Amino acid sequence: MNNATYLLDKNSGVYMADPSARVFGGKLYIYPSHDREAGIPENDNGDHFDMQDYHVFSLDDIDGPIVDHGVILDVQTIPWSGRQLWDSDVAEKDGRYYLYFSLKDKNDVFHIGVAVADKPEGPFKPQPAPIKGSYSIDPCVLKDDDGLYYIYFGGLWGGQLQRYRNNKAQECGAEPAVNEPALCAKAAKLSAGMLEFAEEPRDLVIVDENGQPLKAGDEDRRFFEASWMHKYKGKYYFSYSTGNTHYLCYAIGDNPYGPFTYKGVLLTPVVGWTTHHSIVEFKGKWYLFHHDSVPSGGKTWLRSMKVVELKYNPDGTIQTIQGQQE
Ligand code: FUB
């Protein structure tokens, strides 16, 4: 697979974004956000991303038929819900499946929720309250080789990360000045029960080739949203979106907390404002799952999932993939 392909029929009128791909029991499962036409004008707060449920999809082979298992969680069944089910991810522990999701509460503040199922295809039962101390968006979970689980999260602008410092909400949250260190994604070990943080979230610092933290003004490289963590040959790869400059980038570290050294671009900009992804090994090959807005004619809030093979160089760096431009 050299060219990125859409996972669903481009003319189906079904729009799915932010695909988190996971392998459970030898099968590939994809947990996307379910985009819809809400009729809300586009703005920097992301109000036009007004999603109300999640589906899960599965594949036995990367180029085989894709199965839609239907709705696995609906916003109306989440006790603390306000609006906007954004990016999610799923982890398995001891035969149970934990869906971590981004959702605004009744005060329009984003938190991270958890819902639990006995099967990867759900249905998932939401916990009565969000994870204590959680904020912002875009959770992603790494199961490390020693059996510990780590959660990563955060997103600027509509994702509200700029409202927090040291895990505390600010009176007037704003991004740092351009010459100050960029805001960081957050990293925390999960509790043994998988339902809470086991520690205060830490800053996941991305440094440049000289070991200096990336600056807030370095918008082509600094973290914006869409955290993903995977391991390759014993190294930790943190990948993310640069948001308003529309790159998917990656950085490499020696442990789950970092620091991570910036290494380059995974995917150049695609059609649509957002770019988002997951990276997974399936049947001996690595894949980049992502989305673009080509099938909807460029509507940034109606996105379609794609997959393309990801290739590593012998030194562990990743070959840049060109985003489709039309
Ligand atoms: O899908 C809503 C938001 O758009 C996600 O949470 C972000 O990562 C961006 O893709």
CSV table of all heavy atoms in Angstrom, one decimal, residues 17-19 32-35 46 49-51 84-88 102 110 137-139 154-156 159 224-227 241 273-277 291 300-301 303, ligand 1:
chain,number,residue,atom,x,y,z
A,17,ALA,N,-13.6,10.8,11.6
A,17,ALA,CA,-12.3,11.5,11.7
A,17,ALA,C,-11.5,11.0,12.9
A,17,ALA,O,-12.0,10.1,13.6
A,17,ALA,CB,-12.6,13.0,11.9
A,18,ASP,N,-10.3,11.5,13.1
A,18,ASP,CA,-9.4,11.2,14.3
A,18,ASP,C,-9.3,9.7,14.5
A,18,ASP,O,-9.6,9.2,15.6
A,18,ASP,CB,-10.0,11.9,15.5
A,18,ASP,CG,-10.4,13.3,15.4
A,18,ASP,OD1,-9.6,14.0,14.6
A,18,ASP,OD2,-11.3,13.8,16.1
A,19,PRO,N,-9.0,8.9,13.5
A,19,PRO,CA,-9.0,7.5,13.7
A,19,PRO,C,-7.9,6.9,14.6
A,19,PRO,O,-6.8,7.1,14.3
A,19,PRO,CB,-8.8,6.9,12.3
A,19,PRO,CG,-8.1,8.0,11.5
A,19,PRO,CD,-8.6,9.3,12.1
A,32,PRO,N,-13.0,6.1,15.6
A,32,PRO,CA,-13.0,7.5,15.1
A,32,PRO,C,-14.0,8.4,15.8
A,32,PRO,O,-14.8,8.0,16.6
A,32,PRO,CB,-13.4,7.3,13.6
A,32,PRO,CG,-14.3,6.2,13.7
A,32,PRO,CD,-14.0,5.3,14.9
A,33,SER,N,-13.8,9.7,15.6
A,33,SER,CA,-14.9,10.7,15.9
A,33,SER,C,-15.9,10.6,14.8
A,33,SER,O,-15.6,10.4,13.6
A,33,SER,CB,-14.3,12.1,16.0
A,33,SER,OG,-13.2,12.2,16.9
A,34,HIS,N,-17.2,10.8,15.1
A,34,HIS,CA,-18.2,10.7,14.1
A,34,HIS,C,-18.7,12.1,13.7
A,34,HIS,O,-19.6,12.7,14.4
A,34,HIS,CB,-19.4,9.9,14.7
A,34,HIS,CG,-20.5,9.6,13.7
A,34,HIS,ND1,-21.6,9.0,14.1
A,34,HIS,CD2,-20.6,9.9,12.4
A,34,HIS,CE1,-22.4,8.9,13.0
A,34,HIS,NE2,-21.8,9.5,12.0
A,35,ASP,N,-18.1,12.6,12.6
A,35,ASP,CA,-18.5,14.0,12.2
A,35,ASP,C,-19.9,14.1,11.7
A,35,ASP,O,-20.4,13.1,11.1
A,35,ASP,CB,-17.5,14.4,11.1
A,35,ASP,CG,-16.2,14.8,11.6
A,35,ASP,OD1,-16.0,14.8,12.8
A,35,ASP,OD2,-15.3,15.1,10.7
A,46,GLY,N,-13.8,25.7,17.5
A,46,GLY,CA,-14.2,24.4,17.1
A,46,GLY,C,-15.6,24.0,17.4
A,46,GLY,O,-16.0,22.8,17.4
A,49,PHE,N,-17.4,21.3,15.3
A,49,PHE,CA,-17.2,19.9,15.5
A,49,PHE,C,-18.1,19.5,16.6
A,49,PHE,O,-17.7,19.3,17.8
A,49,PHE,CB,-15.7,19.6,15.9
A,49,PHE,CG,-14.7,20.0,14.8
A,49,PHE,CD1,-13.9,21.1,15.0
A,49,PHE,CD2,-14.7,19.3,13.7
A,49,PHE,CE1,-12.9,21.4,14.0
A,49,PHE,CE2,-13.8,19.6,12.7
A,49,PHE,CZ,-12.9,20.6,12.8
A,50,ASP,N,-19.4,19.2,16.3
A,50,ASP,CA,-20.4,19.0,17.3
A,50,ASP,C,-20.9,17.5,17.2
A,50,ASP,O,-22.0,17.2,16.9
A,50,ASP,CB,-21.6,19.9,17.1
A,50,ASP,CG,-22.6,19.8,18.3
A,50,ASP,OD1,-22.1,19.5,19.4
A,50,ASP,OD2,-23.8,20.1,18.1
A,51,MET,N,-20.0,16.6,17.6
A,51,MET,CA,-20.3,15.2,17.4
A,51,MET,C,-21.0,14.6,18.6
A,51,MET,O,-20.8,15.0,19.7
A,51,MET,CB,-18.9,14.4,17.2
A,51,MET,CG,-18.2,14.8,16.0
A,51,MET,SD,-17.2,16.3,16.2
A,51,MET,CE,-15.6,15.6,16.3
A,84,GLN,N,-20.1,17.9,22.4
A,84,GLN,CA,-18.9,17.7,21.6
A,84,GLN,C,-18.0,16.5,22.0
A,84,GLN,O,-17.1,16.6,22.8
A,84,GLN,CB,-18.1,19.0,21.5
A,84,GLN,CG,-18.8,20.1,20.9
A,84,GLN,CD,-18.0,21.4,20.8
A,84,GLN,OE1,-17.6,22.0,21.8
A,84,GLN,NE2,-17.6,21.8,19.5
A,85,LEU,N,-18.3,15.4,21.4
A,85,LEU,CA,-17.5,14.2,21.6
A,85,LEU,C,-16.4,14.2,20.6
A,85,LEU,O,-16.6,14.0,19.4
A,85,LEU,CB,-18.3,12.9,21.4
A,85,LEU,CG,-19.2,12.4,22.5
A,85,LEU,CD1,-20.0,11.2,22.1
A,85,LEU,CD2,-18.3,12.0,23.7
A,86,TRP,N,-15.2,14.6,21.1
A,86,TRP,CA,-14.0,14.7,20.2
A,86,TRP,C,-13.2,13.4,20.2
A,86,TRP,O,-13.7,12.4,20.6
A,86,TRP,CB,-13.2,16.0,20.5
A,86,TRP,CG,-13.9,17.3,20.0
A,86,TRP,CD1,-15.2,17.4,19.6
A,86,TRP,CD2,-13.4,18.6,20.0
A,86,TRP,NE1,-15.5,18.7,19.2
A,86,TRP,CE2,-14.4,19.4,19.4
A,86,TRP,CE3,-12.1,19.1,20.3
A,86,TRP,CZ2,-14.1,20.8,19.2
A,86,TRP,CZ3,-11.9,20.5,20.1
A,86,TRP,CH2,-12.9,21.3,19.6
A,87,ASP,N,-11.9,13.6,19.9
A,87,ASP,CA,-11.1,12.4,19.7
A,87,ASP,C,-11.1,11.4,20.9
A,87,ASP,O,-11.2,11.8,22.1
A,87,ASP,CB,-9.7,12.9,19.5
A,87,ASP,CG,-8.7,11.8,19.5
A,87,ASP,OD1,-8.8,10.8,18.8
A,87,ASP,OD2,-7.8,11.9,20.4
A,88,SER,N,-10.9,10.1,20.6
A,88,SER,CA,-10.9,9.1,21.6
A,88,SER,C,-9.8,8.0,21.4
A,88,SER,O,-9.2,8.1,20.3
A,88,SER,CB,-12.3,8.4,21.7
A,88,SER,OG,-12.4,7.6,20.5
A,102,SER,N,-12.9,12.6,24.8
A,102,SER,CA,-12.9,14.1,25.1
A,102,SER,C,-14.3,14.5,25.0
A,102,SER,O,-15.0,14.2,24.0
A,102,SER,CB,-12.2,14.9,24.0
A,102,SER,OG,-11.0,14.2,23.5
A,110,PHE,N,-13.9,21.2,28.7
A,110,PHE,CA,-13.5,19.8,28.3
A,110,PHE,C,-12.8,19.0,29.4
A,110,PHE,O,-12.0,19.6,30.2
A,110,PHE,CB,-12.5,19.9,27.1
A,110,PHE,CG,-13.1,19.8,25.7
A,110,PHE,CD1,-12.9,20.9,24.9
A,110,PHE,CD2,-13.8,18.7,25.3
A,110,PHE,CE1,-13.5,20.8,23.6
A,110,PHE,CE2,-14.3,18.6,24.0
A,110,PHE,CZ,-14.2,19.7,23.2
A,137,ILE,N,-8.3,17.9,25.8
A,137,ILE,CA,-8.8,16.9,24.8
A,137,ILE,C,-7.8,15.9,24.4
A,137,ILE,O,-6.7,15.8,24.8
A,137,ILE,CB,-9.3,17.6,23.5
A,137,ILE,CG1,-8.2,18.4,22.9
A,137,ILE,CG2,-10.5,18.6,23.9
A,137,ILE,CD1,-8.4,18.9,21.5
A,138,ASP,N,-8.2,15.0,23.4
A,138,ASP,CA,-7.4,14.1,22.6
A,138,ASP,C,-6.6,13.1,23.5
A,138,ASP,O,-5.3,13.1,23.4
A,138,ASP,CB,-6.5,14.9,21.7
A,138,ASP,CG,-7.2,15.6,20.6
A,138,ASP,OD1,-8.4,15.5,20.5
A,138,ASP,OD2,-6.6,16.2,19.7
A,139,PRO,N,-7.2,12.2,24.2
A,139,PRO,CA,-6.5,11.2,25.0
A,139,PRO,C,-5.9,10.1,24.0
A,139,PRO,O,-6.6,9.8,23.0
A,139,PRO,CB,-7.6,10.6,25.9
A,139,PRO,CG,-8.8,10.8,25.2
A,139,PRO,CD,-8.7,12.1,24.4
A,154,GLY,N,-4.2,16.7,25.5
A,154,GLY,CA,-4.0,18.1,25.4
A,154,GLY,C,-4.3,18.6,24.0
A,154,GLY,O,-4.1,17.9,23.0
A,155,GLY,N,-4.8,19.8,24.0
A,155,GLY,CA,-5.0,20.5,22.7
A,155,GLY,C,-5.3,22.0,22.9
A,155,GLY,O,-6.0,22.4,23.8
A,156,LEU,N,-4.7,22.8,22.0
A,156,LEU,CA,-4.8,24.2,22.1
A,156,LEU,C,-6.1,24.8,21.5
A,156,LEU,O,-6.8,24.0,20.9
A,156,LEU,CB,-3.6,24.9,21.4
A,156,LEU,CG,-2.2,24.7,22.0
A,156,LEU,CD1,-1.1,25.3,21.1
A,156,LEU,CD2,-2.2,25.2,23.4
A,159,GLY,N,-9.5,23.3,22.1
A,159,GLY,CA,-9.1,22.2,23.1
A,159,GLY,C,-8.8,22.6,24.5
A,159,GLY,O,-8.6,21.8,25.4
A,224,PHE,N,0.4,21.0,19.2
A,224,PHE,CA,-0.9,21.7,19.2
A,224,PHE,C,-2.0,20.8,19.8
A,224,PHE,O,-2.7,21.2,20.7
A,224,PHE,CB,-1.3,22.2,17.8
A,224,PHE,CG,-2.5,23.1,17.7
A,224,PHE,CD1,-2.4,24.5,17.7
A,224,PHE,CD2,-3.8,22.5,17.7
A,224,PHE,CE1,-3.6,25.2,17.6
A,224,PHE,CE2,-4.9,23.3,17.6
A,224,PHE,CZ,-4.8,24.7,17.6
A,225,GLU,N,-2.1,19.6,19.2
A,225,GLU,CA,-3.2,18.6,19.6
A,225,GLU,C,-2.8,17.2,19.0
A,225,GLU,O,-1.8,17.1,18.4
A,225,GLU,CB,-4.6,19.1,19.2
A,225,GLU,CG,-4.8,19.2,17.7
A,225,GLU,CD,-6.1,19.7,17.3
A,225,GLU,OE1,-6.9,20.1,18.1
A,225,GLU,OE2,-6.3,19.8,16.0
A,226,ALA,N,-3.8,16.3,19.2
A,226,ALA,CA,-3.7,15.0,18.5
A,226,ALA,C,-2.5,14.1,18.9
A,226,ALA,O,-1.7,13.6,18.1
A,226,ALA,CB,-3.7,15.1,17.0
A,227,SER,N,-2.3,13.9,20.3
A,227,SER,CA,-1.2,13.1,20.7
A,227,SER,C,-1.3,11.6,20.3
A,227,SER,O,-2.4,11.1,20.3
A,227,SER,CB,-1.2,13.1,22.3
A,227,SER,OG,-1.0,14.3,22.8
A,241,SER,N,-0.2,16.8,16.1
A,241,SER,CA,-0.5,17.8,15.1
A,241,SER,C,0.0,19.2,15.5
A,241,SER,O,0.0,19.5,16.7
A,241,SER,CB,-2.0,17.9,14.9
A,241,SER,OG,-2.3,19.1,14.2
A,273,TRP,N,-8.9,21.9,7.8
A,273,TRP,CA,-8.0,22.5,8.8
A,273,TRP,C,-7.3,21.6,9.7
A,273,TRP,O,-6.1,21.7,10.0
A,273,TRP,CB,-8.9,23.5,9.7
A,273,TRP,CG,-8.1,24.5,10.4
A,273,TRP,CD1,-7.9,25.8,9.9
A,273,TRP,CD2,-7.4,24.4,11.7
A,273,TRP,NE1,-7.1,26.4,10.9
A,273,TRP,CE2,-6.8,25.6,11.9
A,273,TRP,CE3,-7.3,23.4,12.6
A,273,TRP,CZ2,-6.0,25.9,13.1
A,273,TRP,CZ3,-6.5,23.6,13.7
A,273,TRP,CH2,-5.9,24.8,14.0
A,274,THR,N,-8.0,20.5,10.2
A,274,THR,CA,-7.4,19.6,11.2
A,274,THR,C,-6.6,18.5,10.5
A,274,THR,O,-6.9,18.1,9.4
A,274,THR,CB,-8.4,19.0,12.1
A,274,THR,OG1,-9.2,18.0,11.3
A,274,THR,CG2,-9.3,20.0,12.8
A,275,THR,N,-5.6,18.0,11.2
A,275,THR,CA,-4.9,16.8,10.8
A,275,THR,C,-4.7,16.0,12.0
A,275,THR,O,-4.4,16.5,13.1
A,275,THR,CB,-3.6,17.1,10.0
A,275,THR,OG1,-3.0,15.9,9.5
A,275,THR,CG2,-2.6,17.9,10.9
A,276,HIS,N,-4.9,14.7,11.9
A,276,HIS,CA,-4.9,13.9,13.1
A,276,HIS,C,-4.6,12.4,12.7
A,276,HIS,O,-4.8,12.1,11.5
A,276,HIS,CB,-6.4,13.9,13.7
A,276,HIS,CG,-6.5,13.4,15.1
A,276,HIS,ND1,-6.8,14.2,16.2
A,276,HIS,CD2,-6.3,12.2,15.6
A,276,HIS,CE1,-6.9,13.5,17.3
A,276,HIS,NE2,-6.5,12.3,17.0
A,277,HIS,N,-4.2,11.6,13.6
A,277,HIS,CA,-3.7,10.3,13.2
A,277,HIS,C,-3.6,9.3,14.3
A,277,HIS,O,-3.7,9.6,15.5
A,277,HIS,CB,-2.3,10.5,12.6
A,277,HIS,CG,-1.3,10.8,13.8
A,277,HIS,ND1,-1.5,11.9,14.6
A,277,HIS,CD2,-0.2,10.1,14.2
A,277,HIS,CE1,-0.5,11.8,15.5
A,277,HIS,NE2,0.3,10.8,15.3
A,291,HIS,N,-6.9,11.5,8.5
A,291,HIS,CA,-8.2,11.9,7.8
A,291,HIS,C,-7.9,13.1,6.9
A,291,HIS,O,-6.9,13.8,7.1
A,291,HIS,CB,-9.3,12.2,8.8
A,291,HIS,CG,-9.0,13.4,9.7
A,291,HIS,ND1,-9.3,13.4,11.1
A,291,HIS,CD2,-8.6,14.7,9.4
A,291,HIS,CE1,-9.0,14.6,11.5
A,291,HIS,NE2,-8.6,15.4,10.6
A,300,THR,N,-14.3,21.4,6.5
A,300,THR,CA,-13.3,20.9,7.5
A,300,THR,C,-13.9,20.1,8.7
A,300,THR,O,-13.2,19.4,9.3
A,300,THR,CB,-12.5,22.2,8.0
A,300,THR,OG1,-11.3,21.8,8.4
A,300,THR,CG2,-13.3,23.0,9.1
A,301,TRP,N,-15.2,20.2,8.9
A,301,TRP,CA,-15.9,19.5,9.9
A,301,TRP,C,-16.5,18.2,9.5
A,301,TRP,O,-17.1,17.5,10.2
A,301,TRP,CB,-17.0,20.4,10.6
A,301,TRP,CG,-18.0,20.8,9.6
A,301,TRP,CD1,-19.2,20.2,9.3
A,301,TRP,CD2,-18.0,21.9,8.7
A,301,TRP,NE1,-19.9,20.9,8.3
A,301,TRP,CE2,-19.2,21.9,7.9
A,301,TRP,CE3,-17.0,22.9,8.4
A,301,TRP,CZ2,-19.4,22.9,6.9
A,301,TRP,CZ3,-17.3,23.8,7.4
A,301,TRP,CH2,-18.5,23.8,6.7
A,303,ARG,N,-15.0,15.0,7.8
A,303,ARG,CA,-13.7,14.4,7.5
A,303,ARG,C,-13.8,12.9,7.2
A,303,ARG,O,-14.8,12.2,7.7
A,303,ARG,CB,-12.7,14.7,8.6
A,303,ARG,CG,-12.5,16.2,8.8
A,303,ARG,CD,-11.9,16.5,10.2
A,303,ARG,NE,-12.8,16.2,11.3
A,303,ARG,CZ,-12.6,16.4,12.6
A,303,ARG,NH1,-11.4,16.9,12.9
A,303,ARG,NH2,-13.4,16.1,13.5
B,1,FUB,O1,-12.4,16.1,16.0
B,1,FUB,C1,-12.4,17.2,16.8
B,1,FUB,C2,-11.0,17.7,17.0
B,1,FUB,O2,-10.4,18.0,15.8
B,1,FUB,C3,-10.0,16.6,17.6
B,1,FUB,O3,-10.2,16.3,18.9
B,1,FUB,C4,-8.8,17.3,17.2
B,1,FUB,O4,-7.6,16.6,17.4
B,1,FUB,C5,-9.0,17.7,15.8
B,1,FUB,O5,-8.8,16.6,14.9
